[in-house]
Amino acid sequence: LPSMGLAAGQAGTNTSATFVEGSTGVLIFPDTVSIFDMDDTTMFSARVTIVNRLDSEFEYLQADPIITANRGLSLLVEATNTSFAIVLSSRQAGVRVHRDNYVAALKTFKYVNDADEPVDLVRLVAVTVFDGEDSSDPVYSKVSIKTINDHAPSLLIAQNATSLALLEPNTQLALFPDSSLSLSDADHSEFLIQYALVTLQPVTSDFPFESLSVSSPFVLGSYNNGTLNVTGPTTPAQFAAGLNTLMYMNTAEEPSNVPRYVSIKVFDDRFASNLVQRAFNISLINDQVPVVDLDTDVPGPSNYTTSFYEEGTGVLIAPRAEVSDADSGAFPTQTMWVRLHALDGDWEDLFLSNYNGSLA
């Protein structure tokens, strides 16, 4: 019976090779490939088969057509979705070819996989020879698949994400209460998301009182100077779950109502994702009492004292008065009362002197 050997010139030995994702292929038989037959020096055919074809039409075998033709051999492809084979035989029907020619052709065989993300399981490539009467037992080249990180992560905020507003006096706002942020990566699962940068904008008077945080078992967050650094490493799904816990905090007593947004970008060990932004508003309430200061020359809200001289024409009772309101919103003063505690009845009066404003 004929026999094959793939290592050290010994019959029945196997070999191995490694295909790197994105490459043009890998030679699967070493220079030590050998054909043994005590009866014949010529063979009728050889067959090389991917036994477990896992990426259908994207994976196949190649042989050098020039060397094969120069050795008097032809190539016949037999393929299904689950297997791929090349049969070597004489270019002349019924003619046997010396085994050294088969060996020379076998040394040119490559395994190729054009799948964008190949299945990373070992492929078995079997080779047998046929001497016209008997076939050899198969020997195998075990092809490992080495994957690479060749895709950037992708962030997406759902179009129907909930509109957001921090309502004073609350100090915290969940930015993704509906888990509307998703993160994907077309690469194999062993390539993890390393970190994300979440930046709060714009800078307002509230900056010292603002912060961002996450609360998740999958990621950690560290906030400094307007940027939250979220770190893994972990899978895209788990990293997205962490980012969906993103919280905005503002402890300012009277926050600015300038609209805010956060910018988010994630990184794996090679690529950065696209940038997404989440906008939100600050809704203010009227929660402060107006303050009347009748004498601004004196620190703090204060009274004012003046004198009216008998038979005089009138006196200004608060020439340095000021009305203030600590609210940060546009809450106009509606009414102001000035009451005179009169002791001379109708002989006393209050009036606006030389006033051209809109108050009545």
Side-chain angles (χ1 to χ4, degrees), residues 99-291:
R99 61 191 179 194
D100 289 347
N101 292 344
Y102 282 97
V103 168
L106 289 172
K107 290 179 181 180
T108 72
F109 268 66
K110 282 185 175 183
Y111 169 84
V112 183
N113 194 321
D114 295 330
D116 182 54
E117 292 298 319
V119 176
D120 54 348
L121 297 176
V122 172
R123 306 302 198 274
L124 292 179
V125 181
V127 56
T128 60
V129 290
F130 178 60
D131 64 5
E133 295 181 1
D134 301 296
S135 292
S136 67
D137 292 330
V139 289
Y140 297 94
S141 178
K142 299 178 182 180
V143 182
S144 300
I145 309 296
K146 180 177 177 57
T147 58
I148 63 171
N149 182 357
D150 58 351
H151 288 280
S154 178
L155 281 168
L156 178 67
I157 297 177
Q159 291 184 349
N160 60 349
T162 305
S163 298
L164 298 176
L166 175 65
L167 178 62
E168 188 189 8
N170 296 317
T171 59
Q172 295 185 340
L173 177 67
L175 297 185
F176 297 101
D178 49 3
S179 296
S180 55
L181 177 70
S182 61
L183 172 61
S184 61
D185 193 326
D187 281 312
H188 291 82
S189 59
E190 67 264 29
F191 297 107
L192 302 177
I193 303 300
Q194 301 296 318
Y195 68 98
L197 296 179
V198 185
T199 304
L200 176 63
Q201 296 169 303
V203 175
T204 70
S205 57
D206 297 345
F207 189 75
F209 306 100
E210 294 177 298
S211 62
L212 298 169
S213 67
V214 288
S215 177
S216 169
F218 305 123
V219 295
L220 297 175
S222 175
Y223 182 80
N224 182 50
N225 199 32
T227 298
L228 178 69
N229 190 346
V230 183
T231 56
T234 189
T235 65
Q238 291 179 338
F239 209 101
L243 289 176
N244 274 305
T245 69
L246 191 62
M247 187 77 68
Y248 166 77
M249 285 153 286
N250 190 330
T251 59
E253 183 177 1
E254 287 299 321
S256 165
N257 64 350
V258 173
R260 314 293 211 278
Y261 64 93
V262 292
S263 299
I264 306 172
K265 182 177 285 190
V266 303
F267 301 79
D268 61 21
D269 60 6
R270 185 179 177 188
F271 298 103
S273 74
N274 57 309
L275 182 75
V276 296
Q277 294 181 331
R278 181 68 157 141
F280 57 96
N281 295 315
I282 309 293
S283 296
L284 306 177
I285 62 171
N286 187 350
D287 61 349
Q288 299 285 345
V289 177
V291 175

Side-chain angles (χ1 to χ4, degrees), residues 341-357:
H341 299 276
L343 299 177
D344 289 323
D346 291 342
W347 297 102
E348 294 180 277
D349 193 10
L350 295 173
F351 63 95
L352 297 175
S353 174
N354 298 320
Y355 176 70
N356 296 317

Side-chain angles (χ1 to χ4, degrees), residues 320-336:
R320 296 189 293 273
E322 182 179 88
V323 178
S324 61
D325 192 327
D327 275 312
S328 53
F331 302 110
T333 300
Q334 302 294 324
T335 305
M336 181 171 65

Side-chain angles (χ1 to χ4, degrees), residues 70-82:
N70 289 341
R71 293 287 182 161
L73 297 170
S74 64
L75 301 168
L76 175 65
V77 173
E78 298 177 358
T80 69
N81 281 337
T82 58

